Coordinates of all heavy atoms in Angstrom, one line a residue:
M230 N -36.6 -180.1 120.0 CA -36.5 -181.5 119.4 C -36.6 -181.3 117.8 O -37.5 -180.7 117.3 CB -37.7 -182.3 119.9 CG -37.8 -183.6 119.4 SD -38.7 -184.6 120.5 CE -39.8 -185.4 119.4
P231 N -35.6 -181.9 117.1 CA -35.6 -181.8 115.6 C -36.8 -182.6 115.0 O -37.2 -183.6 115.5 CB -34.3 -182.4 115.2 CG -33.8 -183.2 116.3 CD -34.5 -182.7 117.6
M232 N -37.3 -182.0 113.9 CA -38.4 -182.7 113.2 C -37.8 -183.8 112.4 O -36.7 -183.7 111.8 CB -39.1 -181.7 112.4 CG -39.9 -180.7 113.2 SD -41.0 -179.7 112.3 CE -42.0 -180.9 111.5
P233 N -38.6 -184.9 112.2 CA -38.1 -186.0 111.3 C -38.0 -185.5 109.9 O -38.8 -184.7 109.5 CB -39.2 -187.1 111.5 CG -40.3 -186.5 112.2 CD -39.8 -185.2 112.8
R234 N -37.1 -186.1 109.2 CA -36.9 -185.7 107.8 C -38.1 -186.2 107.0 O -38.6 -187.4 107.1 CB -35.7 -186.4 107.3 CG -35.2 -185.8 106.0 CD -33.8 -186.3 105.7 NE -33.9 -187.2 104.6 CZ -32.9 -187.9 104.2 NH1 -31.7 -187.9 104.8 NH2 -33.0 -188.7 103.1
Q235 N -38.7 -185.3 106.2 CA -39.9 -185.7 105.4 C -39.5 -186.1 104.0 O -38.5 -185.6 103.5 CB -40.8 -184.5 105.4 CG -41.4 -184.2 106.8 CD -42.7 -183.3 106.7 OE1 -43.0 -182.9 105.6 NE2 -43.3 -183.1 107.8
R236 N -40.3 -186.9 103.5 CA -40.0 -187.4 102.1 C -41.3 -187.3 101.3 O -42.4 -187.3 101.8 CB -39.5 -188.8 102.2 CG -40.5 -189.8 102.8 CD -39.9 -191.2 102.9 NE -40.7 -191.9 103.9 CZ -41.8 -192.6 103.7 NH1 -42.3 -192.6 102.5 NH2 -42.4 -193.3 104.6
P237 N -41.1 -187.2 100.0 CA -42.3 -187.2 99.1 C -43.1 -188.5 99.3 O -42.5 -189.5 99.5 CB -41.8 -187.0 97.7 CG -40.4 -186.5 97.9 CD -39.9 -187.0 99.2
K238 N -44.4 -188.4 99.0 CA -45.2 -189.6 99.1 C -44.7 -190.7 98.1 O -44.4 -190.3 97.0 CB -46.7 -189.3 98.9 CG -47.3 -188.6 100.1 CD -48.8 -188.5 99.8 CE -49.5 -188.0 101.1 NZ -50.9 -187.9 100.9
G239 N -44.7 -191.9 98.6 CA -44.4 -193.0 97.7 C -42.9 -193.3 97.5 O -42.5 -194.1 96.7
Q240 N -42.1 -192.5 98.2 CA -40.6 -192.7 98.1 C -40.0 -193.1 99.4 O -40.4 -192.5 100.4 CB -39.9 -191.5 97.5 CG -40.3 -191.1 96.1 CD -39.5 -189.9 95.6 OE1 -38.7 -189.4 96.3 NE2 -39.8 -189.5 94.4
S241 N -39.1 -194.0 99.4 CA -38.4 -194.3 100.7 C -37.3 -193.4 100.9 O -36.8 -192.7 100.0 CB -38.0 -195.8 100.6 OG -37.0 -195.9 99.7
L242 N -36.7 -193.4 102.1 CA -35.5 -192.6 102.4 C -34.3 -193.1 101.6 O -33.4 -192.4 101.2 CB -35.3 -192.5 103.9 CG -36.3 -191.7 104.7 CD1 -36.0 -191.8 106.1 CD2 -36.3 -190.3 104.2
M243 N -34.2 -194.4 101.5 CA -33.1 -195.0 100.8 C -33.5 -195.4 99.4 O -34.6 -196.0 99.2 CB -32.6 -196.3 101.6 CG -32.0 -195.9 102.9 SD -31.4 -197.4 103.8 CE -30.3 -198.1 102.7
A244 N -32.7 -195.1 98.5 CA -33.1 -195.4 97.1 C -32.9 -196.9 96.9 O -31.9 -197.5 97.3 CB -32.2 -194.7 96.1
A245 N -33.9 -197.5 96.3 CA -33.8 -199.0 96.1 C -32.9 -199.3 94.9 O -33.0 -198.7 93.8 CB -35.2 -199.5 95.8
Q246 N -32.0 -200.2 95.1 CA -31.0 -200.5 94.0 C -31.5 -201.9 93.5 O -31.6 -202.8 94.2 CB -29.6 -200.7 94.6 CG -29.0 -199.3 95.0 CD -27.6 -199.5 95.4 OE1 -27.1 -200.6 95.6 NE2 -26.9 -198.4 95.5
T247 N -31.7 -201.9 92.2 CA -32.1 -203.2 91.6 C -31.1 -203.5 90.5 O -30.5 -202.7 89.9 CB -33.5 -203.0 90.9 OG1 -33.4 -202.0 89.9 CG2 -34.6 -202.7 91.9
T248 N -30.9 -204.8 90.4 CA -29.9 -205.3 89.4 C -30.6 -206.3 88.5 O -31.6 -207.0 89.0 CB -28.7 -206.0 90.1 OG1 -29.2 -207.1 90.9 CG2 -27.9 -205.0 91.0
K249 N -30.2 -206.3 87.3 CA -30.8 -207.3 86.4 C -30.2 -208.7 86.7 O -29.0 -208.8 86.9 CB -30.4 -206.9 84.9 CG -31.1 -205.7 84.4 CD -32.5 -206.0 84.0 CE -33.1 -204.8 83.4 NZ -34.5 -205.0 83.0
R250 N -31.1 -209.6 86.8 CA -30.7 -211.0 87.1 C -29.9 -211.5 85.9 O -30.3 -211.4 84.7 CB -31.9 -211.9 87.3 CG -32.7 -211.5 88.5 CD -32.5 -212.2 89.8 NE -32.0 -213.5 89.7 CZ -32.7 -214.6 90.0 NH1 -34.0 -214.5 90.4 NH2 -32.2 -215.8 89.9
Q251 N -28.8 -212.2 86.1 CA -28.0 -212.8 85.1 C -28.3 -214.3 85.0 O -28.6 -214.9 86.0 CB -26.5 -212.6 85.4 CG -26.2 -211.1 85.5 CD -26.1 -210.4 84.1 OE1 -25.4 -210.9 83.2 NE2 -26.9 -209.4 84.0
R252 N -28.2 -214.8 83.8 CA -28.3 -216.3 83.6 C -27.0 -216.8 83.1 O -26.2 -216.1 82.5 CB -29.4 -216.5 82.5 CG -30.8 -216.6 83.0 CD -31.3 -215.4 83.6 NE -32.8 -215.5 84.0 CZ -33.4 -214.5 84.5 NH1 -32.8 -213.4 84.8 NH2 -34.7 -214.7 84.8
T253 N -26.8 -218.1 83.3 CA -25.5 -218.7 82.9 C -25.8 -219.7 81.8 O -26.7 -220.6 81.9 CB -24.9 -219.4 84.1 OG1 -24.7 -218.5 85.1 CG2 -23.6 -220.1 83.7
C254 N -25.1 -219.7 80.7 CA -25.2 -220.6 79.6 C -24.7 -222.0 80.1 O -23.6 -222.1 80.7 CB -24.4 -220.2 78.4 SG -24.2 -221.4 77.1
I255 N -25.4 -223.0 79.9 CA -25.0 -224.4 80.3 C -23.9 -225.0 79.4 O -23.3 -225.9 79.8 CB -26.2 -225.3 80.4 CG1 -26.9 -225.5 79.1 CG2 -27.1 -224.9 81.5 CD1 -27.9 -226.6 79.1
G256 N -23.7 -224.3 78.2 CA -22.7 -224.8 77.3 C -21.3 -224.3 77.6 O -20.4 -225.0 77.9
C257 N -21.2 -222.9 77.6 CA -19.9 -222.3 77.7 C -19.7 -221.7 79.1 O -18.6 -221.3 79.5 CB -19.7 -221.2 76.7 SG -20.8 -219.9 76.8
G258 N -20.8 -221.5 79.9 CA -20.6 -220.9 81.2 C -20.6 -219.4 81.3 O -20.4 -218.8 82.3
A259 N -20.9 -218.8 80.1 CA -20.9 -217.3 80.1 C -22.2 -216.8 80.9 O -23.2 -217.4 80.8 CB -21.0 -216.8 78.6
T260 N -22.0 -215.7 81.6 CA -23.0 -215.1 82.4 C -23.5 -213.9 81.6 O -22.8 -212.9 81.4 CB -22.5 -214.7 83.8 OG1 -22.0 -215.8 84.4 CG2 -23.7 -214.2 84.6
L261 N -24.8 -213.9 81.2 CA -25.3 -212.9 80.3 C -26.7 -212.5 80.8 O -27.3 -213.3 81.6 CB -25.4 -213.3 78.9 CG -24.1 -213.7 78.2 CD1 -24.3 -214.4 76.9 CD2 -23.2 -212.5 78.0
G262 N -27.3 -211.5 80.3 CA -28.7 -211.1 80.6 C -29.6 -212.1 79.9 O -29.3 -212.9 79.0
K263 N -30.9 -212.1 80.4 CA -31.9 -213.1 79.9 C -32.1 -213.0 78.4 O -32.3 -214.0 77.7 CB -33.2 -212.9 80.7 CG -34.2 -213.9 80.4 CD -35.4 -213.7 81.3 CE -36.5 -214.7 81.0 NZ -37.7 -214.5 81.8
G264 N -32.1 -211.8 77.9 CA -32.4 -211.6 76.5 C -31.3 -212.1 75.5 O -31.5 -212.3 74.4
A265 N -30.1 -212.3 76.1 CA -29.0 -212.7 75.2 C -28.9 -214.3 75.1 O -28.0 -214.8 74.4 CB -27.7 -212.2 75.8
L266 N -29.7 -215.0 75.9 CA -29.7 -216.4 75.9 C -31.1 -217.0 75.5 O -32.1 -216.3 75.5 CB -29.4 -216.9 77.3 CG -28.1 -216.5 77.9 CD1 -28.0 -216.8 79.4 CD2 -26.9 -217.1 77.2
H267 N -31.0 -218.2 75.0 CA -32.3 -219.0 74.7 C -32.6 -219.9 75.9 O -31.7 -220.5 76.5 CB -32.1 -219.8 73.4 CG -32.0 -219.0 72.2 ND1 -33.0 -218.2 71.7 CD2 -31.0 -219.0 71.3 CE1 -32.6 -217.7 70.6 NE2 -31.4 -218.1 70.3
R268 N -33.9 -220.0 76.2 CA -34.3 -220.8 77.3 C -34.8 -222.1 76.8 O -35.6 -222.2 75.8 CB -35.4 -220.1 78.1 CG -35.9 -220.9 79.3 CD -36.8 -220.0 80.1 NE -37.1 -220.7 81.4 CZ -38.3 -221.1 81.7 NH1 -39.3 -221.0 80.9 NH2 -38.5 -221.7 82.9
I269 N -34.4 -223.2 77.4 CA -34.9 -224.5 77.2 C -35.6 -224.9 78.4 O -35.1 -224.7 79.5 CB -33.7 -225.5 76.9 CG1 -32.9 -225.0 75.7 CG2 -34.2 -226.9 76.7 CD1 -31.6 -225.8 75.5
V270 N -36.8 -225.4 78.3 CA -37.7 -225.7 79.4 C -38.1 -227.2 79.4 O -38.3 -227.8 78.3 CB -38.9 -224.8 79.4 CG1 -39.8 -225.0 78.3 CG2 -39.7 -224.9 80.7
R271 N -38.2 -227.7 80.6 CA -38.8 -229.1 80.8 C -40.1 -228.9 81.6 O -40.0 -228.4 82.7 CB -37.8 -230.0 81.5 CG -38.4 -231.4 81.8 CD -37.4 -232.2 82.6 NE -38.0 -233.5 82.9 CZ -38.5 -233.7 84.2 NH1 -38.3 -232.9 85.1 NH2 -39.0 -234.9 84.4
N272 N -41.2 -229.2 81.0 CA -42.5 -228.9 81.7 C -42.8 -230.1 82.6 O -42.1 -231.0 82.8 CB -43.6 -228.6 80.7 CG -43.9 -229.8 79.8 OD1 -43.5 -230.9 80.0 ND2 -44.7 -229.6 78.8
G273 N -44.0 -230.0 83.3 CA -44.4 -231.0 84.2 C -44.6 -232.4 83.7 O -44.4 -233.4 84.4
E274 N -44.9 -232.5 82.4 CA -45.1 -233.8 81.8 C -43.7 -234.4 81.3 O -43.7 -235.5 80.8 CB -46.0 -233.7 80.5 CG -47.5 -233.4 80.9 CD -47.7 -232.0 81.1 OE1 -47.2 -231.1 80.3 OE2 -48.5 -231.6 82.0
G275 N -42.7 -233.6 81.4 CA -41.3 -234.1 81.0 C -40.9 -233.8 79.6 O -39.9 -234.2 79.2
L276 N -41.7 -233.0 78.9 CA -41.4 -232.6 77.6 C -40.3 -231.5 77.6 O -40.5 -230.5 78.3 CB -42.6 -232.1 76.8 CG -43.7 -233.1 76.6 CD1 -45.0 -232.5 76.0 CD2 -43.3 -234.3 75.8
V277 N -39.3 -231.6 76.8 CA -38.3 -230.6 76.7 C -38.4 -229.9 75.4 O -38.5 -230.5 74.3 CB -36.9 -231.3 76.8 CG1 -35.8 -230.3 76.6 CG2 -36.7 -232.0 78.1
S278 N -38.4 -228.5 75.4 CA -38.5 -227.7 74.2 C -37.9 -226.3 74.4 O -37.6 -225.9 75.5 CB -40.0 -227.6 73.8 OG -40.7 -226.9 74.8
F279 N -37.7 -225.6 73.3 CA -37.3 -224.2 73.4 C -38.5 -223.4 73.9 O -39.6 -223.6 73.5 CB -36.8 -223.7 72.0 CG -35.4 -223.8 71.9 CD1 -34.8 -224.6 71.0 CD2 -34.5 -223.0 72.6 CE1 -33.5 -224.7 70.8 CE2 -33.2 -223.0 72.4 CZ -32.6 -223.9 71.5
D280 N -38.2 -222.4 74.6 CA -39.2 -221.4 75.1 C -38.8 -220.1 74.6 O -38.1 -219.3 75.1 CB -39.1 -221.4 76.7 CG -40.1 -220.4 77.3 OD1 -41.0 -219.9 76.5 OD2 -40.0 -220.2 78.5
P281 N -39.4 -219.7 73.4 CA -39.1 -218.5 72.8 C -39.5 -217.2 73.6 O -38.9 -216.2 73.5 CB -39.8 -218.5 71.4 CG -40.9 -219.5 71.6 CD -40.4 -220.5 72.6
T282 N -40.6 -217.4 74.4 CA -41.0 -216.2 75.2 C -40.3 -216.1 76.5 O -40.3 -215.0 77.1 CB -42.5 -216.3 75.5 OG1 -42.8 -217.5 76.3 CG2 -43.3 -216.4 74.2
G283 N -39.7 -217.2 77.0 CA -39.1 -217.2 78.3 C -40.0 -217.2 79.5 O -39.7 -216.9 80.6
R284 N -41.3 -217.6 79.2 CA -42.3 -217.6 80.3 C -43.1 -218.9 80.5 O -44.0 -218.9 81.3 CB -43.4 -216.5 80.0 CG -42.8 -215.1 79.9 CD -43.8 -214.1 79.5 NE -43.2 -212.8 79.4 CZ -43.3 -211.8 80.3 NH1 -44.0 -212.0 81.3 NH2 -42.8 -210.7 80.1
L285 N -42.7 -219.9 79.8 CA -43.4 -221.2 80.0 C -43.1 -221.7 81.3 O -42.0 -221.6 81.9 CB -42.9 -222.2 78.9 CG -43.4 -221.9 77.5 CD1 -42.8 -223.0 76.5 CD2 -44.9 -221.9 77.4
A286 N -44.1 -222.4 81.9 CA -43.9 -223.0 83.2 C -43.0 -224.2 83.1 O -43.0 -225.0 82.1 CB -45.3 -223.5 83.7
G287 N -42.2 -224.4 84.1 CA -41.3 -225.6 84.1 C -39.9 -225.2 84.5 O -39.6 -224.0 84.7
R288 N -39.1 -226.2 84.6 CA -37.7 -226.0 84.9 C -36.9 -225.5 83.7 O -37.0 -226.1 82.6 CB -37.1 -227.3 85.4 CG -35.6 -227.3 85.7 CD -35.4 -226.8 87.1 NE -34.0 -226.9 87.4 CZ -33.5 -226.3 88.4 NH1 -34.2 -225.5 89.1 NH2 -32.2 -226.4 88.6
G289 N -36.2 -224.4 83.8 CA -35.5 -223.8 82.6 C -34.0 -223.9 82.7 O -33.4 -224.0 83.8
A290 N -33.4 -224.0 81.6 CA -31.9 -223.9 81.4 C -31.6 -223.0 80.3 O -32.4 -222.9 79.3 CB -31.3 -225.3 81.2
Y291 N -30.5 -222.3 80.3 CA -30.2 -221.3 79.3 C -29.0 -221.7 78.4 O -28.0 -222.3 79.0 CB -30.0 -220.0 79.9 CG -31.2 -219.4 80.5 CD1 -31.6 -219.7 81.8 CD2 -32.1 -218.6 79.8 CE1 -32.8 -219.2 82.4 CE2 -33.2 -218.1 80.3 CZ -33.6 -218.4 81.6 OH -34.7 -217.9 82.2
V292 N -29.0 -221.4 77.2 CA -27.9 -221.7 76.3 C -27.7 -220.4 75.4 O -28.7 -219.7 75.0 CB -28.2 -222.9 75.4 CG1 -29.4 -222.7 74.5 CG2 -27.0 -223.4 74.7
C293 N -26.5 -220.2 75.0 CA -26.1 -219.0 74.1 C -26.8 -219.2 72.8 O -27.2 -220.3 72.4 CB -24.6 -218.9 73.9 SG -23.7 -218.3 75.4
R294 N -26.8 -218.2 72.0 CA -27.4 -218.2 70.7 C -26.5 -218.9 69.7 O -26.9 -219.1 68.5 CB -27.6 -216.8 70.2 CG -28.6 -216.0 71.1 CD -28.9 -214.6 70.6 NE -29.8 -213.9 71.5 CZ -31.1 -213.9 71.3 NH1 -31.7 -214.6 70.4 NH2 -31.8 -213.3 72.2
Q295 N -25.3 -219.4 70.1 CA -24.5 -220.1 69.2 C -24.8 -221.6 69.3 O -25.0 -222.2 70.3 CB -23.0 -219.9 69.5 CG -22.6 -218.5 69.6 CD -21.5 -218.2 70.6 OE1 -21.0 -219.1 71.2 NE2 -21.1 -216.9 70.6
G296 N -24.7 -222.3 68.1 CA -25.0 -223.7 68.1 C -23.9 -224.5 68.8 O -24.2 -225.6 69.3
A297 N -22.7 -224.0 68.9 CA -21.6 -224.7 69.6 C -21.9 -224.9 71.1 O -21.5 -225.9 71.6 CB -20.3 -223.9 69.4
C298 N -22.6 -224.0 71.7 CA -22.9 -224.1 73.1 C -23.9 -225.3 73.4 O -23.7 -226.0 74.3 CB -23.5 -222.8 73.7 SG -22.2 -221.5 73.9
L299 N -24.8 -225.4 72.5 CA -25.8 -226.6 72.7 C -25.0 -227.9 72.4 O -25.3 -228.9 73.1 CB -27.0 -226.4 71.7 CG -28.0 -227.5 71.8 CD1 -28.6 -227.5 73.3 CD2 -29.1 -227.3 70.8
A300 N -24.1 -227.9 71.5 CA -23.3 -229.1 71.2 C -22.4 -229.4 72.4 O -22.3 -230.6 72.8 CB -22.4 -228.9 70.0
Q301 N -21.9 -228.4 73.1 CA -21.1 -228.6 74.3 C -21.9 -229.2 75.4 O -21.5 -230.1 76.1 CB -20.4 -227.3 74.8 CG -19.1 -227.0 74.2 CD -18.6 -225.8 74.8 OE1 -19.2 -224.7 74.8 NE2 -17.4 -225.9 75.3
A302 N -23.1 -228.6 75.6 CA -24.1 -229.1 76.6 C -24.5 -230.5 76.3 O -24.6 -231.3 77.3 CB -25.3 -228.2 76.7
R303 N -24.6 -230.9 75.1 CA -25.0 -232.2 74.7 C -23.9 -233.2 75.1 O -24.1 -234.3 75.6 CB -25.4 -232.3 73.2 CG -25.8 -233.7 72.8 CD -26.1 -233.6 71.3 NE -26.8 -234.9 70.9 CZ -27.4 -235.1 69.8 NH1 -27.5 -234.1 68.9 NH2 -27.9 -236.2 69.5
K304 N -22.7 -232.8 74.7 CA -21.6 -233.7 74.9 C -21.3 -234.0 76.4 O -21.0 -235.1 76.8 CB -20.3 -233.1 74.3 CG -19.1 -233.9 74.4 CD -17.9 -233.3 73.7 CE -16.6 -234.1 73.9 NZ -15.5 -233.5 73.2
A305 N -21.5 -232.9 77.2 CA -21.2 -233.0 78.7 C -22.5 -233.4 79.4 O -22.5 -233.5 80.7 CB -20.7 -231.7 79.2
R306 N -23.6 -233.7 78.7 CA -24.9 -234.1 79.3 C -25.4 -233.1 80.4 O -26.0 -233.4 81.4 CB -24.8 -235.5 79.9 CG -24.3 -236.5 78.9 CD -24.1 -237.8 79.4 NE -25.4 -238.4 79.7 CZ -25.6 -239.7 80.0 NH1 -24.5 -240.4 80.2 NH2 -26.8 -240.2 80.2
R307 N -25.2 -231.8 80.1 CA -25.6 -230.8 81.1 C -27.1 -230.5 81.1 O -27.6 -230.2 82.2 CB -24.8 -229.5 80.7 CG -23.3 -229.6 81.0 CD -22.6 -228.3 81.0 NE -21.2 -228.5 81.2 CZ -20.3 -228.1 80.3 NH1 -20.6 -227.5 79.2 NH2 -19.0 -228.3 80.5
L308 N -27.8 -230.7 80.0 CA -29.2 -230.6 80.1 C -29.8 -231.7 81.0 O -30.7 -231.5 81.8 CB -29.8 -230.7 78.7 CG -29.9 -229.4 77.9 CD1 -30.5 -229.7 76.5 CD2 -30.7 -228.4 78.6
E309 N -29.3 -232.9 80.9 CA -29.8 -234.0 81.7 C -29.5 -233.7 83.2 O -30.3 -234.0 84.1 CB -29.1 -235.3 81.3 CG -29.5 -235.7 79.9 CD -28.8 -237.0 79.5 OE1 -28.2 -237.7 80.3 OE2 -29.0 -237.4 78.3
K310 N -28.4 -233.1 83.5 CA -28.1 -232.7 84.9 C -29.0 -231.6 85.4 O -29.4 -231.6 86.5 CB -26.6 -232.4 85.0 CG -25.7 -233.5 84.8 CD -24.2 -233.1 84.7 CE -23.3 -234.3 84.4 NZ -21.9 -233.9 84.1
A311 N -29.2 -230.6 84.5 CA -30.0 -229.5 84.9 C -31.5 -229.9 85.1 O -32.1 -229.4 86.0 CB -30.0 -228.4 83.8
F312 N -32.0 -230.8 84.3 CA -33.4 -231.2 84.4 C -33.6 -232.5 85.3 O -34.7 -232.9 85.5 CB -34.0 -231.5 83.0 CG -34.0 -230.2 82.2 CD1 -33.8 -230.3 80.8 CD2 -34.4 -229.0 82.8 CE1 -33.9 -229.1 80.1 CE2 -34.4 -227.8 82.0 CZ -34.2 -227.9 80.6
S313 N -32.5 -233.1 85.7 CA -32.5 -234.4 86.5 C -33.4 -235.4 85.8 O -34.3 -236.0 86.4 CB -33.1 -234.1 87.9 OG -32.3 -233.2 88.6
A314 N -33.2 -235.6 84.5 CA -33.9 -236.5 83.7 C -33.1 -236.9 82.5 O -32.2 -236.2 82.0 CB -35.2 -235.9 83.2
Q315 N -33.4 -238.1 81.9 CA -32.8 -238.6 80.7 C -33.4 -237.8 79.5 O -34.6 -237.6 79.5 CB -33.0 -240.1 80.5 CG -32.3 -240.9 81.6 CD -30.8 -240.9 81.4 OE1 -30.3 -240.8 80.3 NE2 -30.1 -241.0 82.5
I316 N -32.5 -237.4 78.6 CA -33.0 -236.8 77.4 C -32.5 -237.6 76.2 O -31.4 -237.9 76.0 CB -32.4 -235.3 77.3 CG1 -33.0 -234.5 78.5 CG2 -32.8 -234.6 76.0 CD1 -32.5 -233.1 78.6
A317 N -33.5 -237.9 75.3 CA -33.2 -238.7 74.2 C -32.5 -237.9 73.1 O -32.6 -236.7 73.0 CB -34.6 -239.2 73.6
P318 N -31.7 -238.6 72.3 CA -30.9 -237.9 71.2 C -31.9 -237.2 70.3 O -31.5 -236.2 69.7 CB -30.2 -239.1 70.5 CG -30.1 -240.2 71.5 CD -31.3 -240.1 72.4
E319 N -33.1 -237.7 70.1 CA -34.0 -237.1 69.1 C -34.4 -235.7 69.6 O -34.6 -234.8 68.9 CB -35.3 -237.9 69.0 CG -35.1 -239.3 68.4 CD -34.6 -240.3 69.4 OE1 -35.0 -240.2 70.6 OE2 -33.9 -241.2 69.0
I320 N -34.5 -235.5 71.0 CA -34.8 -234.2 71.5 C -33.7 -233.3 71.3 O -33.9 -232.1 70.9 CB -35.1 -234.4 73.0 CG1 -36.4 -235.2 73.2 CG2 -35.3 -233.0 73.7 CD1 -36.8 -235.5 74.6
Y321 N -32.4 -233.7 71.5 CA -31.3 -232.8 71.2 C -31.3 -232.4 69.7 O -31.0 -231.3 69.4 CB -30.0 -233.6 71.5 CG -29.6 -233.5 73.0 CD1 -29.6 -234.7 73.7 CD2 -29.2 -232.3 73.6 CE1 -29.2 -234.6 75.1 CE2 -28.8 -232.3 74.9 CZ -28.8 -233.4 75.6 OH -28.4 -233.4 77.0
D322 N -31.6 -233.4 68.8 CA -31.6 -233.0 67.4 C -32.7 -232.0 67.1 O -32.5 -231.0 66.4 CB -31.9 -234.3 66.6 CG -30.8 -235.3 66.7 OD1 -29.6 -234.9 67.0 OD2 -31.0 -236.5 66.4
A323 N -33.9 -232.1 67.8 CA -35.0 -231.2 67.6 C -34.6 -229.8 68.1 O -34.9 -228.8 67.5 CB -36.2 -231.7 68.2
L324 N -33.9 -229.8 69.2 CA -33.4 -228.5 69.8 C -32.4 -227.8 68.9 O -32.4 -226.6 68.7 CB -32.8 -228.7 71.2 CG -33.7 -229.1 72.3 CD1 -32.9 -229.4 73.6 CD2 -34.7 -228.0 72.6
E325 N -31.5 -228.6 68.3 CA -30.5 -228.0 67.3 C -31.2 -227.4 66.1 O -30.9 -226.4 65.7 CB -29.5 -229.1 66.9 CG -28.6 -229.5 68.0 CD -27.6 -230.6 67.7 OE1 -27.8 -231.2 66.6 OE2 -26.8 -230.9 68.5
V326 N -32.3 -228.1 65.6 CA -33.0 -227.6 64.5 C -33.7 -226.3 64.9 O -33.7 -225.3 64.2 CB -34.0 -228.6 64.0 CG1 -35.0 -228.0 63.0 CG2 -33.3 -229.8 63.4
S327 N -34.3 -226.3 66.1 CA -35.0 -225.1 66.5 C -34.1 -223.9 66.7 O -34.4 -222.8 66.4 CB -35.8 -225.4 67.9 OG -36.7 -226.4 67.7
L328 N -32.9 -224.2 67.3 CA -31.9 -223.2 67.5 C -31.4 -222.6 66.1 O -31.3 -221.4 66.0 CB -30.7 -223.7 68.3 CG -29.6 -222.7 68.6 CD1 -30.1 -221.6 69.4 CD2 -28.5 -223.4 69.3
S329 N -31.2 -223.5 65.1 CA -30.8 -223.0 63.8 C -31.9 -222.1 63.2 O -31.6 -221.1 62.5 CB -30.4 -224.1 62.9 OG -31.5 -224.9 62.6
E330 N -33.2 -222.5 63.4 CA -34.3 -221.7 62.9 C -34.3 -220.3 63.5 O -34.6 -219.3 62.9 CB -35.6 -222.4 63.0 CG -35.8 -223.6 62.1 CD -37.1 -224.4 62.5 OE1 -37.8 -224.0 63.4 OE2 -37.3 -225.4 61.8
L331 N -34.1 -220.3 64.8 CA -34.1 -219.0 65.6 C -33.0 -218.1 65.1 O -33.1 -216.9 65.0 CB -34.1 -219.3 67.1 CG -35.3 -219.8 67.7 CD1 -35.0 -220.2 69.2 CD2 -36.5 -218.9 67.6
E332 N -31.8 -218.7 64.8 CA -30.7 -218.0 64.4 C -30.9 -217.3 63.0 O -30.5 -216.2 62.7 CB -29.4 -218.8 64.3 CG -28.8 -219.2 65.7 CD -27.6 -220.1 65.6 OE1 -27.3 -220.5 64.5 OE2 -27.1 -220.3 66.7
T333 N -31.6 -218.1 62.1 CA -31.8 -217.5 60.8 C -32.9 -216.4 60.8 O -32.8 -215.5 60.0 CB -32.3 -218.7 59.8 OG1 -33.5 -219.3 60.4 CG2 -31.3 -219.7 59.6
R334 N -33.8 -216.4 61.8 CA -34.8 -215.4 61.9 C -34.1 -214.1 62.4 O -34.6 -213.0 62.1 CB -35.9 -215.8 62.9 CG -36.9 -216.7 62.3 CD -38.0 -216.9 63.3 NE -38.5 -218.3 63.2 CZ -39.2 -218.8 64.1 NH1 -39.5 -218.2 65.2 NH2 -39.7 -220.0 64.0
A335 N -33.2 -214.2 63.3 CA -32.5 -213.0 63.9 C -31.6 -212.3 63.0 O -31.3 -212.5 62.0 CB -31.9 -213.4 65.2

């Protein structure tokens, strides 16, 4: 009777394949890694803001680092669809200011 194949401790017989999760920009539809996009989050109280760390609790949507993508998302009301909530024009203006500040820092 053949002996079962032995493996080093802590390793499985099949190598685990992991892939990096991709996110989609709500403005242009580009699929990129998490680090290449900015996250916009709507928290439990309904406040919408940029999430510079990518770890805030709440429903998230991603937008490219270009201001044109946020403008496209605004025009097509994609943030409102993603968050299932009305978003005031003042919030879009604040997001555009925040995005421009983040672009100047990078």
